[in-house]
Amino acid sequence: MKITARQQEIIDFLQSEHRQTGIMPSTREIQEHFGFASQTAAVSHLKALEKKGIITRLEGKARGLRFTDTLAREPIIDIPIYGAIPAGYGDDTTPESEGCLSVDVNSMGVSASAKTYALRVRGDSMINAHIMDGDHVVIEQKEPRNHDVVAALIDGETTLKRYVKDSKKCFLRAENPNYPDLIPAQELMIQGVMVGLVRGSNGGW
Amino acid sequence: MKITARQQEIIDFLQSEHRQTGIMPSTREIQEHFGFASQTAAVSHLKALEKKGIITRLEGKARGLRFTDTLAREPIIDIPIYGAIPAGYGDDTTPESEGCLSVDVNSMGVSASAKTYALRVRGDSMINAHIMDGDHVVIEQKEPRNHDVVAALIDGETTLKRYVKDSKKCFLRAENPNYPDLIPAQELMIQGVMVGLVRGSNGGW
DNA sequence: GGGAACACTGTCATTTTTATCAGGATATGA
DNA sequence: TCATATCCTGATAAAAATGACAGTGTTCCC
């Protein structure tokens, strides 16, 4: 089953309309766009596309169109990006967001229900964990396990550290020899565990 | 302007319907779901939500509803993930995709029109560029500039290397002392330039 | 106590949209 | 050559959906 040139034009139109307006075009709008004298032309094209599995139609519903693979795509979560997390975080107050990072749950490996946020990394204290200045790390609010990378609140600023647990105590360690090692974890507030990282060409690397 | 409990219920319904069906519910469907005796109740709720800026309505259009912030979110591009890229790539043949990486254009910094694909990194030949085994790197098909990280085809396998240009020649260099340095670039096919990186908790790090 | 937003009922006109029936013309593969 | 798919016209019925008008209470704030 191949898609004909005309059918591809229809698909492109559906896609661009949906991107721009947020809703699918009606058969009449398709008709007008292509200059069909009859609205039936649009209908039969949609039928053909449905038969080929490109679109799914919900019968009896206005604009009841959907790209079949759109639902197949993993759901996308919007992760808010915070530059720095204020001290009182967690107590209902929503810190200022510097933007949004939208990724599908599959490629990041976080569940959609998890409480996550992203942090813009400043400095190179975690360079040996291959986390660079300008990277965005995705933090999930949960209990850290040994050797997890965690976001911790130190002196009012959030920094990334390696969480290390020996037989007795818990420590936080920077992954850079230039930074002081081993900070007792008891005195600190651990805000979450790193579960992902996004590096972009605009992220300065 | 606060959202009332009832209005939040409406929002939740719109959202869940849109997720499930791909299209927005009509006023009648809202009416039926909440058990309103009158369809006007649904209409006035939508008006209230529009006034508060939650949704945008396209008047005179069936199911002409959209969450205002959905369009504010940067458009999302679907980047196909390839494990290994066959030799003849570029000649119309679409290599097998191992899945999809969906990211908004802003956080990655790639334009939606650019030809991009993602590659799962194997090995640690670029560890000093802080690219780890299991990472997904986003490759854009364009001409490399000096010191760009590029995807190159060597012996039928795609590998990442640093592109270095001195006064006379172009070389490819691994970012790991254990790997052989300096491969003449002329003999190789450079497939694209790294523009982004995604590391997930399922990506083994 | 008055005004305003909220959360509805009930009715009705109008527009928007789907859907189907009956064709015509032109390809393309068995 | 016959069947089948493509890509259309033209007309018409029916359904889906919006939109507007006139009300009824309630709550909350000034």
Side-chain angles (χ1 to χ4, degrees):
Chain A
M1 286 275 194
K2 290 161 211 161
I3 300 151
T4 67
R6 196 56 158 167
Q7 284 168 357
Q8 187 60 52
E9 282 185 69
I10 305 276
I11 294 172
D12 290 344
F13 177 64
L14 296 182
Q15 214 145 42
S16 93
E17 278 295 296
H18 186 255
R19 287 242 165 106
Q20 280 178 47
T21 65
I23 58 170
M24 281 295 195
S26 68
T27 53
R28 281 227 150 65
E29 286 165 355
I30 297 171
Q31 175 194 355
E32 273 172 41
H33 178 262
F34 287 96
F36 296 149
S38 172
Q39 164 244 24
T40 310
V43 173
S44 57
H45 266 120
L46 293 183
K47 276 184 182 164
L49 288 177
E50 189 182 28
K51 209 165 132 191
K52 295 190 177 178
I54 313 290
I55 59 171
T56 306
R57 294 201 308 157
L58 314 166
E59 63 172 304
K61 300 200 168 177
R63 299 169 193 272
L65 278 185
R66 177 213 309 164
F67 286 103
T68 310
D69 59 2
T70 301
L71 274 199
R73 178 166 83 178
E74 298 300 316
I76 286 167
I77 48 169
D78 299 310
I79 305 170
I81 301 171
Y82 305 134
I85 298 185
Y89 182 69
D91 321 315
D92 289 309
T93 52
T94 310
E96 265 180 277
S97 172
E98 287 188 357
C100 211
L101 201 139
S102 308
V103 200
D104 64 312
V105 293
N106 210 358
S107 51
M108 197 56 96
V110 287
S111 68
S113 58
K115 282 184 185 176
T116 52
Y117 61 91
L119 218 54
R120 190 183 185 86
V121 175
R122 282 176 304 202
D124 55 356
S125 71
M126 293 301 282
I127 197 70
N128 284 348
H130 307 293
I131 299 164
M132 299 173 76
D133 187 44
D135 285 357
H136 285 110
V137 292
V138 179
I139 305 291
E140 188 177 330
Q141 297 179 43
K142 63 177 180 185
E143 276 304 302
R145 287 175 303 181
N146 199 8
H147 298 299
D148 274 354
V149 174
V150 298
L153 193 67
I154 302 173
D155 296 330
E157 264 208 35
T158 302
T159 46
L160 282 180
K161 290 281 177 289
R162 177 81 67 184
Y163 181 84
V164 184
K165 193 160 56 176
D166 69 6
S167 56
K168 287 187 175 180
K169 280 190 173 181
C170 303
F171 299 99
L172 296 182
R173 195 178 65 200
E175 289 279 9
N176 185 331
N178 300 333
Y179 283 75
D181 240 41
L182 294 173
I183 304 165
Q186 276 76 6
E187 305 164 15
L188 303 161
M189 200 177 128
I190 289 169
Q191 303 193 308
V193 180
M194 169 175 163
V195 292
L197 181 145
V198 174
R199 187 180 299 164
S201 55
N202 52 358
W205 96 81
Chain B
M1 286 276 193
K2 290 160 211 158
I3 301 152
T4 67
R6 196 54 159 166
Q7 284 168 358
Q8 187 59 54
E9 283 186 69
I10 305 276
I11 294 172
D12 291 343
F13 177 64
L14 296 182
Q15 214 145 42
S16 93
E17 278 295 297
H18 187 253
R19 287 245 166 103
Q20 280 178 47
T21 66
I23 57 171
M24 281 294 196
S26 68
T27 53
R28 282 227 151 66
E29 286 164 357
I30 298 170
Q31 175 194 355
E32 274 172 41
H33 178 262
F34 288 96
F36 296 148
S38 171
Q39 164 241 26
T40 310
V43 173
S44 56
H45 267 121
L46 294 183
K47 277 184 183 167
L49 288 177
E50 189 182 27
K51 210 165 129 190
K52 294 188 178 179
I54 311 294
I55 59 171
T56 305
R57 296 201 306 157
L58 313 167
E59 62 172 306
K61 300 201 167 175
R63 300 170 194 273
L65 279 184
R66 176 213 310 165
F67 287 104
T68 309
D69 58 3
T70 301
L71 272 199
R73 178 166 83 178
E74 298 302 315
I76 286 168
I77 48 169
D78 299 310
I79 305 170
I81 300 172
Y82 304 135
I85 297 186
Y89 182 71
D91 321 314
D92 289 307
T93 52
T94 310
E96 263 180 279
S97 171
E98 286 188 359
C100 210
L101 200 139
S102 307
V103 201
D104 64 311
V105 292
N106 209 0
S107 52
M108 197 55 95
V110 287
S111 68
S113 58
K115 282 184 184 176
T116 52
Y117 60 92
L119 217 54
R120 191 182 185 88
V121 176
R122 283 176 303 203
D124 55 356
S125 70
M126 293 300 282
I127 197 71
N128 284 348
H130 307 291
I131 300 165
M132 299 172 73
D133 187 46
D135 286 357
H136 285 110
V137 290
V138 179
I139 305 290
E140 187 176 330
Q141 297 179 41
K142 63 178 179 184
E143 275 303 301
R145 287 174 303 179
N146 200 8
H147 298 299
D148 274 353
V149 174
V150 298
L153 192 68
I154 301 174
D155 295 332
E157 264 208 35
T158 303
T159 45
L160 283 179
K161 290 281 176 290
R162 178 80 67 183
Y163 181 83
V164 185
K165 191 159 59 174
D166 70 5
S167 55
K168 285 187 176 180
K169 281 190 171 181
C170 304
F171 299 100
L172 297 181
R173 195 178 65 201
E175 289 279 7
N176 185 331
N178 300 333
Y179 283 75
D181 241 40
L182 293 174
I183 303 165
Q186 276 75 6
E187 305 164 15
L188 303 162
M189 200 176 128
I190 290 171
Q191 303 191 309
V193 180
M194 168 176 165
V195 292
L197 182 145
V198 173
R199 188 180 299 164
S201 56
N202 51 359
W205 97 82

